[in-house]
Amino acid sequence: MSKELEYLSRRVASGKLSRRDFLGRAAALGVTATFANSLLSSAARAAGPVKGGTLKAGMVGGASTDSLDPALDASQVPFAFGKVWGETLVELAPGGGVEYLIAEEIGASDDAKTWTMKIRKGVQFHNGKEVTPDDVVATLKRHSDEKSKSGALGVLKGIDTIKTDGGNVVVTLKDPNADMPYLMADYHLIIQPNGGMDKPDAGIGTGPYKVAINKPGVKYGGERFANYWQPDKYGHADQVEIIIINDATARTAALQGGQVNMINRVEPKIVDLVKRLPGVTIRAASGRGFYPFNMFCDTAPFDNNDLRMALKLAMDREEMLQKILRGYGSVGNDMPVNKAYPLFSEDIEQRKFDPEKAAALYKKSGHSGSILLRTSDVAFPGAVDAAQLYQQSCAKAGIKIEIKREPGDGYWTEVWNKQPFSLSYWGGRPTQDQMYSTAYLSTADWNDTRFKRPDFDKMVLAARGELDEAKRKKIYRDMGEMMRDEGGLIVPFFNQFVDATGKGVEGWVDNPAQELANGHALIQCWLQA
Amino acid sequence: MSSPILKLVAQRILLGLVLLLAVSVLIFAGTQILPGDVAQAILGQAATPEALANLREQLGLNDPAWLRYLHWLGGILHGDFGTAQSSGLDIASSIGTRLKNTLFLAACAAIVAVPLAVILGLIAVRYRNGFVDKLISGLALASTSFPEFFIGYVLIFVFAVHWQIFPSISTVDESTPFLERLQAVVLPATALTLVVLAHMMRMTRAAILNVMQSAYIETAELKGLKPFDIIRKHAFPNAIAPIVNVVMLNLAYLIVGVVVVEVIFVYPGMGQYLVDHVSKRDVPVVQAVGLIFAAVYITLNIVADIAAIAANPRLRHPK
């Protein structure tokens, strides 16, 4: 009997038998629908990707103001569509490390200052032109130019010179940086013909799909690029589409009604309901993103470490995780990194809710009266609830928190990084160095906790130039502990990216770097008939 | 034709133009008060000071406000709305497509809602204070009292998720064939109809009832006319002005007030376009859309005024 079923499931996988007929026959053989379905999906995986069809994603995070210029990408939809039509030098691999795309190989000099990137030959742009090292140089120059408005400008600040050397691109840095390959995975750095100097929003790249529809805020479409260089790996559907559905309920309904095959950002509060829908699979991936409560270390009353520590101890992280994220995440430890980072030391002691100790430290700090905490719906999903929950746990330690709910419009310009105690989110960075350098160096533009410590800066630079992994790990451990005990950061939890796929979507590989499998869902998945 | 009507109409149109100009100043002033600017909003959390300064320079944000306003107004007078600061796309063509979509949806809703509201209003008057009247009023009030998003979600749940008769996403574009387009807007148009129906229906009912108090209605009753004929021939024509007024108000709402419905049904109309650009502080687009919305309101109000004037026999037949 099982042999017959296996044979039949293979026929379904190869498209010779319809799924419905198969289920009918399986039922006739006395097999439950659940078992028959699982048989089908394993047969599908074994049979390999199915080519054809249109794969559609319903996504939040797009607006009619978006442009195809990768330098300006700042939200989820332009990010995900960028992965459809463009490619960077390298990509963050699902299991850590990098996956080589336009660059075939990246090598460092012993001092980690000079980096040689071998550019892959035979990769074509959508306009038929082959990618040359000159295109790569132009791209890096456009994004690292001081006059650039690129979102990658901060990442590329450390670059001194960029030039070609035969088939290679050689980049020299001002200071040693062992993480240089990770910097090249930044999603803004899509390689464009002549670096996009001529027409940055032309949408011409080397990705598996050509731009076919470009309606910002409404819909994007891609059509398979015939000359794509790795057709076995990516680009299984004939067409892909992104439909912008900013309303969470509408997004779920579209998935349920079969109008889209996948959606991003399922809200934690409805995940358990969505899970029960027939044919829908929740794809939750633990990542590096976290939702911090930021205190300015240089502004009263937060310039007192006893007070900061009291506020940290008054955070009930477990309760937060369960009530705000419904468990779709992991507790934070008041540092901006977690075990999703390479070279993270997991043995750093986890901070726990301790109202008594918090009360004692609060008293010792000498501060009295209430503390103003600013929050808004846009800070992160559930931010207002999180502030209220925190208010309650603080009350148990005798600390009075006053909550000010700010309008979402203008929150990032008027409140975040401007007010001394507010809620925010960070999507994380590929490496610890990048995370610390972006937000916790004294000189960082986005130092949103005003953490300015020369001794910490020295540790960041030392770790960055250190090629010996064990030594580096030790420095990162010290940095983490320093941040945890003296920083202005309260991290209740790291969030998971929660996406969902509908019936027949196969080939999904979880990737902790970003949602929708680091934006690869549309190019790596296929539709099983 | 007599001159008083023409004079009144000319007056109304002139007033409308002055109003439009005043509105443009108000909109501009309003956009200046918004916190942050377009450069900051485009770059978002990823803004570095250098990138900000570069973008501001490039977008000409360093000019004084009045100069930017005059530039913009001059462009409009030449039919040029300029380009969106955020996406760099031509505003006139973006708005063109979106305005067509919005008008199509509004028209679909209006074609159903207006006759339905008037007929229901007439029926309610005919059976006033009876069971039918109460039923109509009750249902209409109930549908109005639910927020738009709730009606939208219920429609999606029943027709798109449960029965799967209509799509829950109403994304249309220029290449969408007419029938498909019609099918796409069924649910949003239904939601809008339910939202505006009660207002028009109750106004129709009230206006006709008001006329029904008049002496000539009593005369008609004494003549022995049928109740429905009295309403249709004698009461309704005299209640036209207030009815047209409320219909126009609701038509304007169907065009400029449908953001929530557009968001829920993912319909690419003007509302969503405006909201996106307000949050990006994209002043030229906000100005252009605001001006179009104001023009819609003013025009429809002028139409209502003219209809009221035309329906007034004392103006039609001056002594």
Side-chain angles (χ1 to χ4, degrees), chain B residues 81 90-100 270 273 285 288-289 292:
Chain B
F81 280 100
D90 182 52
I91 296 176
S93 63
S94 308
I95 286 185
T97 335
R98 296 241 178 195
L99 189 60
K100 253 185 260 162
M270 296 286 281
Y273 186 69
V285 178
V289 177
I292 289 172

Side-chain angles (χ1 to χ4, degrees), chain A residues 213-524:
Chain A
I213 304 171
N214 173 27
K215 293 184 191 299
V218 183
K219 196 168 153 182
Y220 294 99
E223 194 170 90
R224 194 194 286 130
F225 175 43
N227 295 337
Y228 182 61
W229 63 281
Q230 44 179 358
D232 296 334
K233 189 162 185 194
Y234 294 130
H236 304 305
D238 289 340
Q239 277 116 28
V240 290
E241 269 180 29
I242 295 176
I243 299 165
I244 291 133
I245 311 178
N246 286 321
D247 183 77
T249 312
R251 209 155 60 240
T252 320
L255 182 71
Q256 207 181 344
Q259 292 191 290
V260 296
N261 307 108
M262 57 181 77
I263 57 173
N264 69 338
R265 222 160 271 188
V266 178
E267 293 188 347
K269 60 185 171 202
I270 61 161
V271 174
D272 290 331
L273 296 173
V274 175
K275 228 185 216 166
R276 282 192 240 144
L277 301 177
V280 170
T281 312
I282 291 289
R283 313 276 185 173
S286 301
R288 307 183 182 98
F290 61 98
Y291 298 149
F293 287 51
N294 289 328
M295 303 178 277
F296 279 5
C297 299
D298 64 353
T299 309
F302 309 103
D303 52 357
N304 179 319
N305 198 38
D306 288 331
L307 181 95
R308 291 206 296 272
M309 187 56 89
L311 288 171
K312 290 174 187 174
L313 288 167
M315 169 70 74
D316 189 341
R317 293 171 179 74
E318 285 294 342
E319 188 189 24
M320 278 276 183
L321 178 63
Q322 291 314 321
K323 292 199 171 146
I324 305 297
L325 295 188
R326 312 278 155 144
Y328 285 90
S330 56
V331 290
N333 201 13
D334 299 340
M335 55 178 100
V337 293
N338 64 356
K339 65 179 180 197
Y341 285 85
L343 306 181
F344 178 75
S345 304
E346 285 192 50
D347 55 341
I348 301 176
E349 195 197 339
Q350 172 63 45
R351 175 156 293 141
K352 296 216 166 59
F353 178 48
D354 190 341
E356 278 138 50
K357 212 168 158 197
L361 278 171
Y362 183 64
K363 211 167 171 197
K364 190 175 159 219
S365 79
H367 180 79
S368 60
S370 65
I371 288 172
L372 185 62
L373 171 64
R374 288 167 210 265
T375 182
S376 169
D377 288 326
V378 300
F380 57 84
V384 176
D385 298 338
Q388 278 161 353
L389 207 55
Y390 181 56
Q391 187 181 39
Q392 287 170 20
S393 70
C394 280
K396 287 182 195 153
I399 303 171
K400 211 175 146 211
I401 298 283
E402 187 191 330
I403 297 174
K404 185 156 185 230
R405 189 173 176 168
E406 301 275 358
D409 196 28
Y411 187 79
W412 300 112
T413 51
E414 303 298 307
V415 179
W416 173 75
N417 210 0
K418 294 245 165 61
Q419 297 293 343
F421 194 24
S422 67
L423 269 62
S424 172
Y425 83 88
W426 274 99
R429 290 292 186 272
T431 65
Q432 294 199 45
D433 172 60
Q434 254 185 292
M435 191 62 237
Y436 283 121
S437 306
T438 315
Y440 306 99
L441 267 184
S442 303
T443 51
D445 293 323
W446 298 336
N447 191 334
D448 58 8
T449 55
R450 303 290 185 269
F451 185 70
K452 292 173 184 169
R453 295 278 297 266
D455 45 347
F456 185 81
D457 295 353
K458 265 188 212 140
M459 288 156 90
V460 174
L461 295 180
R464 188 187 288 169
E466 182 59 66
L467 288 175
D468 180 337
E469 279 206 358
K471 282 188 196 157
R472 224 172 156 208
K473 191 168 172 178
K474 172 77 180 58
I475 307 176
Y476 281 135
R477 191 199 151 93
D478 294 345
M479 281 161 60
E481 284 192 323
M482 186 169 173
M483 183 59 65
R484 174 179 179 272
D485 296 334
E486 291 162 41
L489 197 60
I490 306 175
V491 184
F493 38 57
F494 282 77
N495 59 303
Q496 288 183 338
F497 299 113
V498 187
D499 307 314
T501 54
K503 285 191 191 87
V505 176
E506 303 285 346
W508 182 289
V509 183
D510 277 339
N511 188 321
Q514 263 298 338
E515 57 182 41
L516 284 179
N518 196 22
H520 286 166
L522 280 172
I523 60 173
Q524 75 182 188

